[in-house]
């Protein structure tokens, strides 16, 4: 049996996992435990194209981990697990690459909790329960922020009093780094040009959305900041706003800072603009049926994205390729067409038939031969985590 990596993405009340073969990215078993800590906690497994699940008797993170081990045993896969890889949202400035987990690393991830209070504490629960369940296996942390640690200071500093950076770690960090690492590497295979010589803008468009300038395989700027709220229009996040809005909304709506933060994170973006949904596919259907607010929401999404892509060319001085990924980037031919239409001045020209057929798991070039290439690439963060974990655990990948 090939040595496989158990990839874990653990939140405060959920635990997503995938058993991944780092050599070919195949996933014989994956699943999701939900509502952890609540009375109706449950777990779902996907194996051989089938989905099944059951309520968890012990609805804690450790209980979920035990259920995963039982399932691995039942399927005869337990002996294949050679290491565990954990997705960690925030690594601050300390973690510039993936790392083998020890007590010091756990402390460091805990220290970054102030920057990601909704994520890092959940990740630590996942690490602790995986260490209990697999005490003999190496565990590796892979950070969403790490890829952007190559940003130069002029890109990551805010124009705020310097003490906020030095004393409170206030700076731009950026996210989706594991996805950017995966797609930028995959893009060079399609472009036939070495990564070191390539200037690309990658757009990860899912419920959260961001874009990054990747020069020679290194991130040089990105649209998300201290938190994932900055930048593009997202499913329910506003992206960039006038910071003056905080004070204005606080007094107009009698909200405290948490109230405004919730409004910007959960009630804005495509959802807020359309008044209908945060889901791009639903909005496309509604817009086609004449829903004006859905049309406007998608229009603003594309306009903001095109502006960001153009701005991200500045740090590189040129663009050799544009990469679309994430649920929207991989599936919405309409969004891609509109964005590329706005970027004609940079040398982009859409190949409409290629764009229309590059959906649902297909990858490839969606611009004409004389255009700067725009590519659709299916991201696979689990695969990247599995590869890092195999490498750091000393397993032949
Ligand atoms: P997450 O960030 O939660 O991982 P995904 O990367 O799965 O999200 O992206 C979810 C988004 O992808 C949703 O807005 C969804 O509507 C959009 N999407 C998925 N399929 C399509 C499609 N065929 N057309 C348009 N949008 C799509």
């Amino acid at each position: 049996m090939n040595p496989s990596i158990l990839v874990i993405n653990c939140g405060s009340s959920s635990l997503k996992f995938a058993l991944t073969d780092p050599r070919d990215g195949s996933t014989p078993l994956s699943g999701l435990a939900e509502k952890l800590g609540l009375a109706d906690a449950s777990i779902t497994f996907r194996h051989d194209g089938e989905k099944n699940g059951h309520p968890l008797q012990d609805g804690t993170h450790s209980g979920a981990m035990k259920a995963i081990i039982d399932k691995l045993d039942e399927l005869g896969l337990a002996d294949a697990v050679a290491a565990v890889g954990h997705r960690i949202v925030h690594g601050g400035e300390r973690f510039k690459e993936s790392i083998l987990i020890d007590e010091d690393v756990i402390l460091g991830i805990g220290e970054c909790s102030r920057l990601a209070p909704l994520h890092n504490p959940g990740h630590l629960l996942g690490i602790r329960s995986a260490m209990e369940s697999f005490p003999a296996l190496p565990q590796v942390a892979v950070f969403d922020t790490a890829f952007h640690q190559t940003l130069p200071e002029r890109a990551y500093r805010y124009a705020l009093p310097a003490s906020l950076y030095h004393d409170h770690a206030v700076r731009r960090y950026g996210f989706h780094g594991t996805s950017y690492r995966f797609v930028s590497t995959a893009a060079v295979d399609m472009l036939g040009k070495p990564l070191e010589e390539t200037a690309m803008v990658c757009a990860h468009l899912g419920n959260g959305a961001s874009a990054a300038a990747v020069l020679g395989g290194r991130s040089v700027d990105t649209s998300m900041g201290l938190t994932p709220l900055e930048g593009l229009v997202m499913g329910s996040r506003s992206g960039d706003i006038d910071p003056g809005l905080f004070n204005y909304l606080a007094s107009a709506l009698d909200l405290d800072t948490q109230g405004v933060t919730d409004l910007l994170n959960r009630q804005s973006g495509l959802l807020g603009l359309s008044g209908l949904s945060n889901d791009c596919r639903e909005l496309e259907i509604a817009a086609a049926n004449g829903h004006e607010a859905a049309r406007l929401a998608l229009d603003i999404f594309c306009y903001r994205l095109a502006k960001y892509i153009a701005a991200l060319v500045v740090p590189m001085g040129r663009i050799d390729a544009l990469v679309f990924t994430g649920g929207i980037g991989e599936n919405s031919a309409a969004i891609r067409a509109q964005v590329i239409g706005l970027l004609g001045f940079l040398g982009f020209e859409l190949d409409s038939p290629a764009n229309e057929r590059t959906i649902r798991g297909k990858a490839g070039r969606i611009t004409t031969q004389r255009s700067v290439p725009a590519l659709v690439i299916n991201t696979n963060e689990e695969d990247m985590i599995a590869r890092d974990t195999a490498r750091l655990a000393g397993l032949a990948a």
Side-chain angles (χ1 to χ4, degrees):
M1 204 178 301
N2 295 333
S4 291
I5 308 299
L6 185 62
V7 176
I8 291 182
N9 182 356
C10 190
S12 55
S13 64
S14 70
L15 193 162
K16 207 171 148 190
F17 65 94
L19 183 69
T20 303
D21 184 334
R23 293 181 312 173
D24 59 11
S26 63
T27 301
L29 176 70
S30 63
L32 174 67
E34 291 174 286
K35 299 196 176 173
L36 297 176
L38 299 176
D40 53 347
S42 64
I43 190 159
T44 316
F45 298 101
R46 272 180 194 278
H47 172 64
D48 265 353
E50 285 192 19
K51 199 172 159 185
N52 57 62
H54 57 79
L56 281 169
Q57 302 244 312
D58 173 1
T60 63
H61 287 76
S62 304
M65 203 62 82
K66 283 197 196 82
I68 296 170
I69 294 176
D70 289 347
K71 192 72 179 177
L72 290 165
D73 274 333
E74 180 192 318
L75 298 171
L77 294 167
D79 290 344
V81 184
V84 185
H86 296 266
R87 180 225 176 186
I88 311 291
V89 164
H90 221 305
E93 287 192 332
R94 167 161 173 189
F95 297 107
K96 299 188 189 306
E97 52 193 25
S98 303
I99 191 167
L100 270 172
I101 296 175
D102 59 17
E103 282 304 321
D104 194 39
V105 169
I106 290 177
L107 275 178
I109 294 171
E111 278 161 18
C112 295
S113 286
R114 67 175 169 153
L115 295 165
L118 300 179
H119 292 100
N120 278 25
H123 300 328
L124 287 175
L125 287 171
I127 291 173
R128 286 283 182 214
S129 55
M131 288 174 86
E132 273 166 37
S133 301
F134 300 98
L137 297 188
Q139 314 254 344
V140 168
V142 179
F143 301 89
D144 277 17
T145 47
F147 185 60
H148 301 298
Q149 280 295 301
T150 47
L151 258 60
E153 194 161 12
R154 67 180 182 178
Y156 73 68
R157 286 288 295 274
Y158 290 112
L160 290 168
S163 61
L164 291 182
Y165 170 60
H166 297 296
D167 301 341
H168 297 281
V170 175
R171 53 159 282 177
R172 309 181 64 252
Y173 291 93
F175 299 87
H176 292 139
T178 310
S179 175
Y180 289 129
R181 214 147 46 92
F182 182 91
V183 297
S184 56
T185 313
V188 293
D189 293 340
M190 286 190 197
L191 294 167
K193 206 172 166 189
L195 188 59
E196 298 69 36
E197 290 170 21
T198 309
M200 62 181 115
V201 174
C202 304
H204 179 110
L205 311 173
N207 278 311
S210 72
V214 182
L215 179 63
R218 294 155 68 87
S219 176
V220 290
D221 206 347
T222 189
S223 63
M224 283 179 170
L226 174 77
T227 75
L229 183 57
E230 189 176 337
L232 304 179
V233 175
M234 308 182 211
S236 64
R237 292 187 204 130
S238 62
D240 290 346
I241 46 133
D242 178 348
L245 202 59
F246 252 82
N247 201 25
Y248 183 83
L249 290 181
S251 71
L253 303 180
D254 194 21
L255 292 173
D256 59 11
T257 52
Q258 190 55 49
V260 180
T261 302
D262 281 350
L263 191 154
L264 298 176
N265 276 287
R266 296 177 205 274
Q267 300 167 46
S268 300
L270 294 175
L271 172 66
L273 281 165
S274 68
L276 188 67
S277 171
N278 64 336
D279 188 286
C280 177
R281 189 170 15 185
E282 267 183 51
L283 295 182
E284 287 184 3
I285 295 167
N289 289 324
H291 194 296
E292 181 52 28
R295 189 203 59 75
L296 180 67
L298 295 170
D299 195 30
I300 294 175
F301 180 94
C302 293
Y303 175 71
R304 175 91 55 89
L305 174 56
K307 266 199 346 184
Y308 254 99
I309 291 168
L312 287 167
V313 178
V314 171
M316 304 192 291
R318 68 177 209 277
I319 179 164
D320 302 327
L322 171 62
V323 176
F324 289 99
T325 193
I328 298 173
E330 293 168 25
N331 292 294
S332 176
I335 297 274
R336 296 186 311 232
Q338 192 171 343
V339 171
I340 287 175
L342 290 165
L343 295 173
F345 71 97
L346 283 176
F348 288 96
E349 184 183 70
L350 191 71
D351 177 342
S352 286
N355 183 42
E356 296 293 331
R357 66 174 176 262
T358 310
I359 53 171
R360 281 194 279 273
K362 295 208 191 74
R365 181 173 175 144
I366 56 167
T367 44
T368 61
Q369 283 311 311
R370 67 176 178 197
S371 167
V372 176
L375 309 174
V376 174
I377 296 179
N378 299 291
T379 194
N380 191 339
E381 287 155 287
E382 284 82 11
D383 182 46
M384 198 77 235
I385 295 172
R387 283 195 252 158
D388 276 9
T389 304
R391 179 173 47 82
L392 287 166
L395 304 165

